[in-house]
Amino acid sequence: MREILGRRRRLLSRRGDGGPELMGAALTCATRWQWPVLPGVAADPEGRSRCGCPDPECTVPGAHPFDPGLLAATTDARMVRWWWSNRPTAPVILATGVGGAPCAVSLPALPAARALAALDHRGMRLGPVVAAPDRWAILVRPYSMEQLGELLYAKDFVPGSLRFHGEGGYLALPPSETAQGGVRWERAPLPGSASPWVPGVEAVVDAVVEALTRTGVIAPEM
């Protein structure tokens, strides 16, 4: 697999600290867990709050694939090493729902923190949870669009701020740095785990909606 070089390569690649840590994280995802990854577009070096992609209205600045595109995501160690050798500060982007990789359910950070506390109180088992400054994402087992549609149709109410990262979607993973800040593990995979355990999407959506409703926290529509 070869990377397609783009016009805006200077903006996509910012050399600096963090290269070994990011490459190590990308290799762990790709080779140990068999999660397809690719480098994301970096934040604009001339304006950290802006994205390095051509879209001036980018809604996920510094946290999405651009060059190469999402279809280039791979578990090949040689490709991963080549990418992060050339782009050492690139965010690690997971192609959700591809090749057995997990999908995710995300919601705004504050309601997410309260929902997780409520789920802990109930004793519900969760897998890894990714925390970005604005949103947290709960990793779940891969699901189909038909499965998701049936799940949502059966519910009386689902907060509009819930987002679903399924096949064809993506998610920035730790320790990526985006234009909005650092991405970290709120619930990290167990060290040395062959493949992190993740719950089913039905259990997570049911529990999150119930937790938000019971605690009186309705996530804002954002």
Side-chain angles (χ1 to χ4, degrees), residues 5 7 10 15 56 60 72-73 79 91 97 99 107 114 118 134 139 141 146 159 175 198 222:
L5 300 179
R7 300 182 282 115
R10 287 186 300 108
R15 294 189 177 274
V60 282
M79 191 74 245
L107 64 160
R114 294 177 178 172
D134 59 337
L139 300 189
R141 288 196 294 270
E146 291 78 11
V198 293
M222 60 180 291

Side-chain angles (χ1 to χ4, degrees), residues 2-95:
R2 296 178 59 192
E3 182 182 18
I4 300 173
L5 300 179
R7 300 182 282 115
R8 294 179 60 86
R9 182 61 175 274
R10 287 186 300 108
L11 288 179
L12 299 178
S13 178
R14 293 194 311 112
R15 294 189 177 274
D17 297 333
E21 187 179 9
L22 285 163
M23 181 185 287
L27 285 169
T28 294
C29 292
T31 62
R32 181 182 299 169
W33 301 340
Q34 291 297 294
W35 295 357
V37 296
L38 75 162
V41 59
D44 189 334
E46 298 179 0
R48 285 290 297 160
S49 63
R50 299 196 303 269
C51 190
C53 75
D55 183 3
E57 305 297 328
C58 181
T59 58
V60 282
H64 66 91
F66 172 60
D67 179 16
L70 186 61
L71 292 179
T74 184
T75 58
D76 182 79
R78 293 172 299 176
M79 191 74 245
V80 169
R81 288 193 180 95
W82 188 85
W83 273 333
W84 271 273
S85 293
N86 286 277
R87 297 164 60 177
T89 61
V92 179
I93 302 297
L94 167 68

Side-chain angles (χ1 to χ4, degrees), residues 100-151:
C103 297
V105 177
S106 72
L107 64 160
L110 181 57
R114 294 177 178 172
L116 257 63
L119 300 187
D120 286 342
H121 183 72
R122 288 178 46 186
M124 179 177 175
R125 182 187 180 190
L126 291 175
V129 177
V130 176
D134 59 337
R135 298 185 70 84
W136 290 11
I138 303 171
L139 300 189
V140 298
R141 288 196 294 270
Y143 56 77
S144 67
M145 292 304 296
E146 291 78 11
Q147 180 185 4
L148 179 63
E150 291 176 1
L151 171 63

Side-chain angles (χ1 to χ4, degrees), residues 188-208:
L190 294 176
S193 55
S195 183
W197 179 87
V198 293
V201 66
E202 300 94 338
V204 168
V205 171
D206 287 348
V208 166

Side-chain angles (χ1 to χ4, degrees), residues 165-198:
H165 309 256
E167 185 175 357
Y170 57 86
L171 188 69
L173 295 180
S176 301
E177 284 286 337
T178 73
Q180 295 170 328
V183 180
R184 61 179 177 82
W185 293 111
E186 174 64 23
R187 305 287 172 87
L190 294 176
S193 55
S195 183
W197 179 87
V198 293

